Amino acid sequence: MKKADVKVGAIVGARSEEDLKKPFQGKVEKIYENSALLTITSYDPVDATAISDLNNKIVVNFKNLKAVRAAKNSKTVSTNEVKVEKIAKTKKADKDSKK
């Protein structure tokens, strides 16, 4: 693909000769001069450990990107978001901590 064809937020197919054995799909997060940062969204189960090591992100040269098609036998990354909230202390907890 050419830089002009790549848009932030687009889902693209990609391959990486160094890090992953099989092609994968990812969402474009940032565009650089000759490459794009992808969040990996779909991949072959063979690459599960490598994907985890990469924290589901990888930089790929534009020449290794292509228009996306549905991948066969692929695993989709969960996109659930977890929110963490601070819980206020109760009066009983305050009394117990003073003892």
Side-chain angles (χ1 to χ4, degrees):
M1 289 182 90
K2 295 180 182 177
K3 183 177 181 178
D5 298 333
V6 180
K7 305 288 183 213
V8 173
I11 303 293
V12 295
R15 59 184 169 85
S16 171
E17 289 107 14
E18 299 89 28
D19 299 316
L20 306 174
K21 297 175 184 174
K22 302 283 186 170
F24 59 94
Q25 293 178 359
K27 180 179 178 184
V28 178
E29 296 294 325
K30 190 170 183 179
I31 298 173
Y32 300 108
E33 191 63 35
N34 296 310
S35 57
L37 173 65
L38 304 179
T39 297
I40 299 167
T41 57
S42 181
Y43 58 92
D44 192 287
V46 171
D47 292 323
T49 303
I51 300 290
S52 177
D53 291 345
L54 293 167
N55 292 322
N56 294 334
K57 295 199 184 263
I58 190 168
V59 176
V60 180
N61 192 303
F62 292 134
K63 68 180 181 180
N64 292 331
L65 299 179
K66 61 182 176 180
V68 72
R69 288 185 222 134
K72 294 180 182 177
N73 191 26
S74 65
K75 183 174 179 181
T76 303
V77 175
S78 173
T79 57
N80 294 339
E81 292 184 20
V82 177
K83 293 184 180 180
V84 178
E85 295 180 13
K86 188 173 182 178
I87 300 173
K89 292 184 178 181
T90 61
K91 290 182 181 180
K92 184 179 179 184
D94 289 340
K95 288 179 184 177
D96 290 342
S97 66
K98 291 179 181 177
K99 290 182 181 179

